[in-house]
Amino acid sequence: MNDFDGEDALVRKIARHFLPSDGRKIRLGIGDDAALWEPEPGFVTILTSDWFLEGTHFLRGKHPPDSVGWKCLARATSDIAAMGGTPRCFLLNLALPAAATGKWLKGFLVGLRRAANSLDCLLAGGDTTRSERILISVTVIGEIRKGREVLRAGARAGDALYVSGALGEAEHGLRLLQKNGGKANRKNVALRKHLYPEPRVELGGWLAERRLATAMMDVSDGLSSDLRRLCTASGVAAVIDPDKLPLPRGVQQQTARQLALHGGDDYELLFAVSPRNAAQVPARYRRVALTRIGEIKKGQGVQVLEQDGKLKPLRAAGWDPFR
C-alpha cells in the first residue's frame, strides 16, 4: 500500500532522514530545483555515478533494505576513493513501486543515512518517481587537491602491483546468502563484505597524498576484468602470482583462488607503485591488509604465473552486465 500522498510527501520523507546542509560546500540542498555546491580552492572536482537495480544488483526478497541503502552509496563512493579523492555530497535518484514506500523504504533510508554519516557525505538532492521495480542511481561529488589525483593510466613497466583487503569475499558472501535462503548472518565476514562494503577512502587519499600510487582503480567487477582495464589505460601488461592473492577464508583453496581472480563486488583498491617507493607501502594500513600480488610489465594483457614457472594468459571473467 502507498503510504504517501504524492511525490512531495515522498521527498519530505527522504529529507527527514538527513540533516540539512551545515554550510560545508553545499550552499543549497534539498528543496529547490537544484543544489549549489562550492568546491574548495585549489581542489579539483571528481564526479561519478552508479546504478543499483533490483533483479540485477540486489534481490528484494534476500537483501535487507538497509544493506541496499548502505551499498548503493558505498559502491558509488568507491570510485572517488579509487582516484584518491574525498566524497563530499551525493544525489539520489530513486524509482519505487507503491508497495516499497513503507517498511522497505524506511529500512533503505536507515542504511543510506548510516553510509552517508560514515563517509561524511551529504545528501544534496535528486529525483523520485514510480516504477514497477526498485531502480536506484547515485551520483557522488568528491574533490582532491589539484595534481594529486590518481588515474588508471600511470602504471609503468617495473611497478609493483598491490591490492587492499581480501579478494573474492563479497562473491563468497553472495553465495552464502543464496545458499541460506536469504537469511543474512551479519556477523559473517564474507556476508558483511557483500552486504555492507567499505570503500577505501582513507587508503586512497593516503596513497594519493604521498604520491605512492602511479595508477589505481577499485576492484568492483573482479580482478581479472579490472586489472585488464588498468593495463589497457596505461598501455602495459601485468603478471600476477596466484599464490600471493589474499583469499577469502573458509573456502577450499582452488575455489577461493577462482573467487579472488574473478569475483566482483569487493570494492578494494588495486594500485601500482614504482620500485623506488615499494618499500614505503606497509603490510597494513589502519587494519587493512596491503598485498603485493604481481608486477607491471611491457606489452599488453594479463598473465598468471604457473607453478612450473610458465606464464598463462588470464581471461577476463569478472562481472559483465551484458554477458
Side-chain angles (χ1 to χ4, degrees):
M1 179 174 289
N2 192 341
D3 289 354
F4 302 101
D5 183 20
E7 185 179 15
D8 289 345
L10 177 59
V11 172
R12 287 194 297 270
K13 171 92 174 199
I14 295 172
R16 281 199 300 270
H17 278 73
F18 295 87
L19 295 175
S21 169
D22 60 3
R24 294 173 300 160
K25 302 176 181 62
I26 299 181
R27 293 174 51 197
L28 182 64
I30 299 173
D32 216 298
D33 289 318
L36 297 177
W37 182 75
E38 187 173 354
E40 193 79 21
F43 283 66
V44 292
T45 301
I46 306 173
L47 304 173
T48 187
S49 63
D50 199 59
W51 282 106
F52 203 47
L53 309 177
E54 180 183 357
T56 300
H57 303 106
F58 71 94
L59 301 172
R60 207 188 319 177
K62 289 185 178 291
H63 290 83
D66 72 307
S67 78
V68 178
W70 174 284
K71 193 171 182 177
C72 74
L73 180 58
R75 55 187 268 139
T77 303
S78 182
D79 290 331
I80 303 291
M83 283 192 153
T86 301
R88 295 304 185 193
C89 61
F90 70 99
L91 303 175
L92 171 68
N93 292 323
L94 183 61
L96 291 172
T101 57
K103 183 179 179 180
W104 189 93
L105 177 61
K106 182 179 179 180
F108 169 82
L109 292 175
V110 167
L112 181 62
R113 183 180 62 212
R114 283 180 47 239
N117 290 342
S118 175
L119 295 164
D120 195 19
C121 189
L122 303 173
L123 176 61
D127 193 25
T128 56
T129 191
R130 183 168 176 166
S131 171
E132 292 185 1
R133 291 190 302 157
I134 299 171
L135 311 175
I136 307 164
S137 176
V138 175
T139 297
V140 181
I141 298 173
E143 63 182 14
I144 188 170
R145 263 208 305 159
K146 192 172 184 179
R148 292 294 195 271
E149 59 272 15
V150 186
L151 311 181
R152 297 180 182 183
R156 298 292 179 265
D159 286 357
L161 195 61
Y162 291 83
V163 293
S164 66
L167 298 180
E169 279 188 333
E171 180 71 22
H172 178 42
L174 174 60
R175 294 183 182 185
L176 290 176
L177 188 68
Q178 294 169 330
K179 182 179 179 181
N180 294 338
K183 295 180 181 179
N185 177 7
R186 304 185 190 198
K187 294 182 180 180
N188 182 281
V189 172
L191 264 174
R192 286 196 62 82
K193 184 72 168 286
H194 172 66
L195 296 172
Y196 307 98
E198 297 183 9
R200 305 303 188 187
V201 175
E202 291 185 353
L203 172 60
W206 182 79
L207 290 167
E209 190 62 29
R210 285 158 181 74
R211 296 183 174 179
L212 291 178
T214 58
M216 185 160 60
M217 66 180 297
D218 70 333
V219 183
S220 56
D221 294 333
L223 179 65
S224 63
S225 294
D226 289 326
L227 177 53
R228 184 175 300 274
R229 291 168 180 149
L230 186 147
C231 288
T232 299
S234 294
V236 295
V239 174
I240 60 175
D241 185 345
D243 290 333
K244 294 181 179 178
L245 293 174
L247 304 178
R249 291 172 288 178
V251 187
Q252 189 271 337
Q253 186 177 26
Q254 188 58 35
T255 300
R257 182 173 292 181
Q258 291 303 306
L259 289 172
L261 287 172
H262 308 299
D265 239 16
D266 282 314
Y267 304 104
E268 297 292 351
L269 293 183
L270 168 68
F271 57 98
V273 178
S274 69
R276 67 177 181 276
N277 291 330
Q280 298 182 46
V281 180
R284 305 185 79 84
Y285 176 81
R286 297 189 179 181
R287 296 186 296 178
V288 178
L290 305 180
T291 306
R292 184 168 178 170
I293 63 169
E295 187 175 348
I296 299 296
K297 300 285 189 179
K298 292 182 179 179
Q300 57 183 357
V302 179
Q303 295 178 305
V304 174
L305 182 64
E306 299 282 83
Q307 290 185 342
D308 60 5
K310 295 182 179 179
L311 296 176
K312 178 182 177 180
L314 179 64
R315 181 174 62 92
W319 167 255
D320 184 336
F322 293 100
R323 186 167 59 212

Coordinates of all heavy atoms in Angstrom, one line a residue, residues 169-230:
E169 N 35.8 -12.1 -1.3 CA 35.0 -12.3 -0.1 C 33.5 -11.9 -0.4 O 32.6 -12.6 0.0 CB 35.5 -11.4 1.0 CG 36.6 -12.0 1.8 CD 37.0 -11.1 3.0 OE1 36.7 -9.9 3.0 OE2 37.5 -11.7 4.0
A170 N 33.3 -10.9 -1.2 CA 31.9 -10.5 -1.4 C 31.2 -11.5 -2.3 O 30.0 -11.8 -2.0 CB 31.9 -9.1 -2.2
E171 N 31.8 -12.1 -3.3 CA 31.2 -13.1 -4.1 C 30.9 -14.4 -3.2 O 29.8 -15.0 -3.3 CB 32.1 -13.5 -5.2 CG 31.6 -14.6 -6.1 CD 30.4 -14.2 -7.0 OE1 30.3 -12.9 -7.2 OE2 29.7 -15.0 -7.4
H172 N 31.8 -14.7 -2.3 CA 31.6 -15.8 -1.4 C 30.4 -15.5 -0.5 O 29.5 -16.3 -0.2 CB 32.8 -16.0 -0.5 CG 32.7 -17.1 0.5 ND1 32.0 -18.3 0.3 CD2 33.1 -17.1 1.8 CE1 32.1 -19.0 1.4 NE2 32.7 -18.3 2.3
G173 N 30.3 -14.2 0.0 CA 29.1 -13.8 0.8 C 27.8 -13.9 0.0 O 26.8 -14.3 0.6
L174 N 27.8 -13.5 -1.3 CA 26.6 -13.7 -2.1 C 26.2 -15.1 -2.2 O 25.0 -15.4 -2.0 CB 26.9 -13.1 -3.5 CG 25.7 -13.3 -4.5 CD1 24.4 -12.6 -4.0 CD2 26.1 -12.7 -5.8
R175 N 27.1 -16.0 -2.4 CA 26.8 -17.4 -2.4 C 26.2 -18.0 -1.1 O 25.3 -18.8 -1.1 CB 28.1 -18.2 -2.8 CG 28.5 -17.9 -4.3 CD 29.7 -18.7 -4.6 NE 30.2 -18.4 -6.0 CZ 31.2 -19.0 -6.6 NH1 31.8 -20.1 -6.0 NH2 31.6 -18.6 -7.8
L176 N 26.8 -17.5 0.0 CA 26.2 -17.9 1.3 C 24.8 -17.4 1.5 O 23.9 -18.1 2.0 CB 27.1 -17.3 2.4 CG 28.5 -17.9 2.6 CD1 29.3 -17.2 3.7 CD2 28.4 -19.4 2.9
L177 N 24.5 -16.2 1.0 CA 23.2 -15.6 1.1 C 22.2 -16.4 0.3 O 21.1 -16.7 0.7 CB 23.2 -14.1 0.6 CG 21.9 -13.3 0.8 CD1 21.7 -13.1 2.3 CD2 22.0 -12.0 0.1
Q178 N 22.6 -16.8 -0.9 CA 21.7 -17.6 -1.8 C 21.5 -19.0 -1.2 O 20.4 -19.5 -1.2 CB 22.3 -17.7 -3.1 CG 22.4 -16.4 -3.9 CD 23.2 -16.4 -5.2 OE1 24.2 -17.2 -5.2 NE2 22.9 -15.6 -6.1
K179 N 22.6 -19.6 -0.6 CA 22.5 -20.9 0.0 C 21.6 -20.9 1.2 O 20.9 -21.9 1.5 CB 23.9 -21.4 0.3 CG 24.0 -22.8 0.9 CD 25.4 -23.2 1.2 CE 25.5 -24.6 1.8 NZ 26.9 -25.0 2.1
N180 N 21.7 -19.9 2.0 CA 20.9 -19.8 3.3 C 19.5 -19.3 3.1 O 18.8 -19.0 4.1 CB 21.6 -18.9 4.3 CG 23.0 -19.5 4.7 OD1 23.2 -20.6 4.6 ND2 23.9 -18.6 5.1
G181 N 19.0 -19.3 1.9 CA 17.6 -18.9 1.7 C 17.3 -17.5 2.0 O 16.1 -17.2 2.4
G182 N 18.3 -16.6 2.0 CA 18.0 -15.2 2.2 C 18.2 -14.8 3.7 O 18.0 -13.6 4.0
K183 N 18.6 -15.7 4.6 CA 18.8 -15.3 5.9 C 20.3 -14.8 6.1 O 21.2 -15.5 5.8 CB 18.7 -16.5 6.9 CG 17.2 -17.1 6.9 CD 17.1 -18.3 7.8 CE 15.7 -18.8 7.8 NZ 15.5 -20.0 8.7
A184 N 20.4 -13.5 6.5 CA 21.7 -12.9 6.5 C 22.3 -12.9 7.9 O 21.8 -12.1 8.8 CB 21.5 -11.4 5.9
N185 N 23.3 -13.7 8.1 CA 24.1 -13.7 9.3 C 25.1 -12.5 9.2 O 26.2 -12.7 8.6 CB 24.7 -15.0 9.6 CG 25.6 -15.0 10.8 OD1 25.6 -14.0 11.6 ND2 26.4 -16.1 11.0
R186 N 24.8 -11.4 9.8 CA 25.6 -10.2 9.6 C 26.9 -10.3 10.3 O 27.8 -9.4 10.1 CB 24.8 -9.0 10.0 CG 23.5 -8.9 9.3 CD 22.8 -7.6 9.6 NE 21.4 -7.6 9.1 CZ 20.6 -6.6 8.9 NH1 21.1 -5.4 9.2 NH2 19.4 -6.7 8.4
K187 N 27.1 -11.3 11.2 CA 28.4 -11.5 11.8 C 29.4 -12.2 10.9 O 30.6 -12.1 11.2 CB 28.3 -12.2 13.1 CG 27.4 -11.5 14.2 CD 27.4 -12.3 15.5 CE 26.5 -11.6 16.5 NZ 26.4 -12.4 17.8
N188 N 29.0 -12.8 9.8 CA 29.9 -13.5 8.9 C 30.6 -12.4 8.1 O 30.0 -11.5 7.5 CB 29.0 -14.4 8.0 CG 29.9 -15.2 7.1 OD1 30.3 -14.6 6.0 ND2 30.1 -16.4 7.4
V189 N 32.0 -12.6 8.1 CA 32.8 -11.6 7.4 C 32.5 -11.5 5.9 O 32.3 -10.3 5.4 CB 34.3 -12.0 7.5 CG1 35.2 -11.1 6.7 CG2 34.7 -11.9 9.0
A190 N 32.3 -12.6 5.2 CA 32.0 -12.6 3.8 C 30.6 -12.0 3.5 O 30.5 -11.2 2.6 CB 32.1 -14.0 3.2
L191 N 29.7 -12.3 4.3 CA 28.3 -11.7 4.2 C 28.3 -10.2 4.4 O 27.7 -9.5 3.6 CB 27.3 -12.4 5.1 CG 26.5 -13.5 4.5 CD1 25.7 -14.2 5.6 CD2 25.6 -13.1 3.4
R192 N 29.1 -9.8 5.4 CA 29.2 -8.3 5.6 C 29.9 -7.6 4.4 O 29.5 -6.5 4.1 CB 29.9 -8.0 6.9 CG 29.1 -8.3 8.2 CD 29.7 -7.6 9.4 NE 29.8 -6.2 9.2 CZ 28.7 -5.4 9.5 NH1 27.6 -5.9 9.9 NH2 28.8 -4.1 9.4
K193 N 30.9 -8.3 3.9 CA 31.6 -7.7 2.7 C 30.6 -7.5 1.6 O 30.7 -6.5 0.8 CB 32.7 -8.6 2.3 CG 33.6 -8.0 1.2 CD 34.5 -6.9 1.7 CE 35.5 -6.5 0.7 NZ 36.7 -7.4 0.7
H194 N 29.7 -8.5 1.4 CA 28.7 -8.4 0.3 C 27.6 -7.4 0.6 O 27.3 -6.6 -0.3 CB 28.1 -9.8 0.0 CG 27.0 -9.7 -0.9 ND1 27.1 -9.4 -2.3 CD2 25.6 -9.9 -0.7 CE1 25.9 -9.4 -2.9 NE2 25.0 -9.8 -2.0
L195 N 27.1 -7.4 1.8 CA 26.0 -6.5 2.1 C 26.4 -5.1 2.5 O 25.7 -4.1 2.2 CB 25.2 -7.1 3.3 CG 24.6 -8.5 3.1 CD1 24.0 -9.0 4.4 CD2 23.5 -8.4 2.0
Y196 N 27.6 -4.9 3.2 CA 28.0 -3.6 3.7 C 29.4 -3.3 3.3 O 30.3 -3.3 4.2 CB 27.8 -3.5 5.2 CG 26.4 -3.9 5.6 CD1 26.1 -5.2 6.1 CD2 25.3 -3.0 5.6 CE1 24.8 -5.6 6.5 CE2 24.0 -3.3 5.9 CZ 23.8 -4.6 6.4 OH 22.5 -5.0 6.8
P197 N 29.8 -3.2 2.1 CA 31.2 -3.0 1.7 C 31.6 -1.6 2.2 O 30.8 -0.7 2.3 CB 31.1 -3.0 0.1 CG 29.7 -2.6 -0.2 CD 28.9 -3.2 0.9
E198 N 32.9 -1.5 2.5 CA 33.5 -0.3 3.0 C 34.5 0.3 1.9 O 35.6 -0.3 1.8 CB 34.2 -0.5 4.3 CG 33.3 -1.0 5.4 CD 34.0 -1.2 6.7 OE1 35.1 -0.8 6.9 OE2 33.3 -1.7 7.7
P199 N 34.1 1.3 1.3 CA 35.1 1.9 0.3 C 36.3 2.4 1.0 O 36.3 3.0 2.1 CB 34.2 3.0 -0.3 CG 33.2 3.4 0.7 CD 32.9 2.1 1.4
R200 N 37.5 2.2 0.3 CA 38.8 2.5 1.0 C 39.1 4.0 0.7 O 40.2 4.3 0.1 CB 39.8 1.6 0.4 CG 39.5 0.1 0.5 CD 39.2 -0.3 2.0 NE 39.1 -1.8 2.1 CZ 38.7 -2.4 3.3 NH1 38.5 -1.7 4.3 NH2 38.6 -3.7 3.3
V201 N 38.3 4.9 1.3 CA 38.5 6.3 1.1 C 39.8 6.8 1.7 O 40.6 7.5 1.1 CB 37.3 7.1 1.6 CG1 37.6 8.6 1.5 CG2 36.1 6.8 0.8
E202 N 40.0 6.4 3.0 CA 41.2 6.8 3.7 C 42.5 6.3 3.0 O 43.5 7.0 2.9 CB 41.2 6.4 5.2 CG 40.1 7.2 5.9 CD 40.1 6.8 7.4 OE1 40.9 5.9 7.8 OE2 39.4 7.5 8.2
L203 N 42.5 5.1 2.6 CA 43.6 4.5 2.0 C 43.9 5.2 0.7 O 45.1 5.5 0.4 CB 43.4 3.0 1.8 CG 44.5 2.3 0.9 CD1 45.9 2.3 1.6 CD2 44.1 0.8 0.7
G204 N 42.9 5.4 -0.1 CA 43.1 6.0 -1.4 C 43.7 7.4 -1.3 O 44.6 7.8 -2.0
G205 N 43.2 8.2 -0.3 CA 43.7 9.5 0.0 C 45.1 9.5 0.5 O 45.9 10.4 0.1
W206 N 45.5 8.5 1.3 CA 46.8 8.4 1.8 C 47.8 8.1 0.6 O 48.9 8.7 0.6 CB 46.9 7.2 2.8 CG 48.2 7.0 3.5 CD1 48.8 7.8 4.5 CD2 49.2 6.0 3.1 NE1 50.0 7.3 4.8 CE2 50.3 6.2 4.0 CE3 49.2 5.0 2.2 CZ2 51.4 5.3 4.0 CZ3 50.3 4.1 2.2 CH2 51.4 4.3 3.0
L207 N 47.4 7.2 -0.2 CA 48.3 6.8 -1.4 C 48.5 8.0 -2.3 O 49.5 8.3 -2.9 CB 47.7 5.6 -2.1 CG 47.7 4.3 -1.4 CD1 46.8 3.3 -2.1 CD2 49.2 3.8 -1.4
A208 N 47.4 8.8 -2.5 CA 47.4 9.9 -3.4 C 48.2 11.0 -2.9 O 49.1 11.7 -3.6 CB 46.0 10.4 -3.8
E209 N 48.0 11.4 -1.6 CA 48.7 12.5 -1.0 C 50.2 12.3 -0.9 O 51.0 13.2 -1.1 CB 48.1 12.7 0.4 CG 48.6 14.0 1.1 CD 48.2 15.3 0.3 OE1 47.1 15.2 -0.4 OE2 48.9 16.3 0.4
R210 N 50.6 11.0 -0.7 CA 52.0 10.7 -0.7 C 52.6 10.4 -2.1 O 53.8 10.0 -2.2 CB 52.3 9.6 0.3 CG 52.2 10.0 1.7 CD 51.9 8.9 2.7 NE 51.8 9.4 4.1 CZ 50.7 10.1 4.5 NH1 49.7 10.3 3.7 NH2 50.7 10.5 5.8
R211 N 51.8 10.4 -3.1 CA 52.2 10.1 -4.4 C 52.8 8.8 -4.6 O 53.8 8.6 -5.3 CB 53.0 11.2 -5.0 CG 52.3 12.6 -5.1 CD 53.2 13.7 -5.7 NE 52.5 14.9 -5.8 CZ 53.0 16.0 -6.3 NH1 54.3 16.1 -6.7 NH2 52.2 17.1 -6.5
L212 N 52.3 7.8 -3.8 CA 52.8 6.4 -3.9 C 52.3 5.6 -5.1 O 53.0 4.9 -5.7 CB 52.6 5.7 -2.6 CG 53.3 6.2 -1.4 CD1 52.9 5.4 -0.1 CD2 54.8 6.1 -1.6
A213 N 51.0 5.8 -5.3 CA 50.4 5.0 -6.4 C 50.6 5.7 -7.8 O 50.2 6.9 -7.9 CB 48.9 4.9 -6.1
T214 N 51.1 5.0 -8.7 CA 51.2 5.5 -10.1 C 50.0 5.4 -10.9 O 49.7 6.1 -11.8 CB 52.4 4.8 -10.8 OG1 52.1 3.4 -10.9 CG2 53.7 5.1 -10.1
A215 N 49.2 4.3 -10.5 CA 47.9 4.1 -11.2 C 47.0 3.4 -10.1 O 47.5 2.6 -9.3 CB 48.0 3.2 -12.4
M216 N 45.7 3.6 -10.2 CA 44.8 3.0 -9.2 C 43.4 2.9 -9.8 O 42.9 3.7 -10.5 CB 44.9 3.8 -7.9 CG 44.1 3.2 -6.8 SD 44.6 3.9 -5.2 CE 44.3 5.7 -5.4
M217 N 42.7 1.9 -9.3 CA 41.2 1.7 -9.6 C 40.7 0.8 -8.5 O 41.4 0.2 -7.8 CB 41.0 1.2 -11.0 CG 41.4 -0.2 -11.2 SD 41.1 -0.8 -12.9 CE 39.3 -0.7 -12.9
D218 N 39.3 0.8 -8.4 CA 38.7 -0.1 -7.4 C 38.4 -1.4 -8.1 O 38.2 -1.5 -9.3 CB 37.5 0.5 -6.7 CG 36.3 0.7 -7.7 OD1 36.5 0.8 -8.9 OD2 35.2 0.7 -7.2
V219 N 38.4 -2.5 -7.3 CA 38.1 -3.8 -7.8 C 36.6 -4.0 -7.6 O 36.2 -4.4 -6.5 CB 38.9 -4.9 -7.2 CG1 38.6 -6.3 -7.8 CG2 40.4 -4.7 -7.3
S220 N 35.8 -3.7 -8.6 CA 34.3 -3.9 -8.5 C 33.8 -5.0 -9.3 O 32.8 -5.6 -9.0 CB 33.6 -2.5 -8.9 OG 34.0 -2.1 -10.2
D221 N 34.4 -5.3 -10.4 CA 33.9 -6.3 -11.4 C 34.8 -7.6 -11.3 O 34.5 -8.5 -12.1 CB 33.9 -5.8 -12.8 CG 32.9 -4.7 -13.0 OD1 31.9 -4.7 -12.2 OD2 33.1 -3.8 -13.9
G222 N 35.8 -7.6 -10.5 CA 36.7 -8.8 -10.4 C 38.1 -8.5 -10.9 O 38.2 -7.7 -11.8
L223 N 39.1 -9.0 -10.2 CA 40.5 -8.7 -10.6 C 40.8 -9.0 -12.0 O 41.5 -8.2 -12.7 CB 41.4 -9.5 -9.7 CG 42.9 -9.3 -9.9 CD1 43.3 -7.9 -9.5 CD2 43.7 -10.3 -9.0
S224 N 40.3 -10.1 -12.6 CA 40.7 -10.5 -13.9 C 40.2 -9.4 -15.0 O 40.8 -9.2 -16.0 CB 40.2 -11.9 -14.3 OG 38.8 -11.9 -14.3
S225 N 39.0 -8.8 -14.7 CA 38.5 -7.8 -15.6 C 39.1 -6.4 -15.3 O 39.4 -5.7 -16.2 CB 37.0 -7.8 -15.4 OG 36.4 -9.0 -15.9
D226 N 39.1 -6.1 -14.0 CA 39.6 -4.7 -13.7 C 41.1 -4.5 -13.9 O 41.5 -3.4 -14.4 CB 39.2 -4.4 -12.2 CG 37.7 -4.2 -12.0 OD1 37.1 -3.7 -13.0 OD2 37.2 -4.6 -11.0
L227 N 41.9 -5.5 -13.6 CA 43.3 -5.3 -13.9 C 43.6 -5.1 -15.4 O 44.4 -4.4 -15.8 CB 44.1 -6.5 -13.4 CG 45.6 -6.5 -13.6 CD1 46.3 -5.3 -13.2 CD2 46.3 -7.8 -13.0
R228 N 42.8 -5.8 -16.2 CA 43.0 -5.7 -17.6 C 42.7 -4.2 -18.1 O 43.3 -3.6 -18.9 CB 42.0 -6.6 -18.4 CG 42.2 -6.6 -19.9 CD 41.3 -7.7 -20.5 NE 41.7 -9.0 -20.0 CZ 42.6 -9.8 -20.6 NH1 43.3 -9.3 -21.6 NH2 42.9 -11.0 -20.1
R229 N 41.7 -3.6 -17.4 CA 41.3 -2.2 -17.7 C 42.4 -1.3 -17.3 O 42.7 -0.3 -18.1 CB 40.0 -1.9 -17.0 CG 38.8 -2.6 -17.6 CD 37.6 -2.5 -16.7 NE 36.4 -3.2 -17.2 CZ 35.5 -3.7 -16.5 NH1 35.5 -3.7 -15.2 NH2 34.5 -4.4 -17.1
L230 N 43.0 -1.5 -16.2 CA 44.1 -0.7 -15.8 C 45.3 -0.8 -16.7 O 45.9 0.2 -17.1 CB 44.6 -1.0 -14.3 CG 45.6 -0.2 -13.7 CD1 45.4 -0.1 -12.2 CD2 47.0 -0.7 -13.9

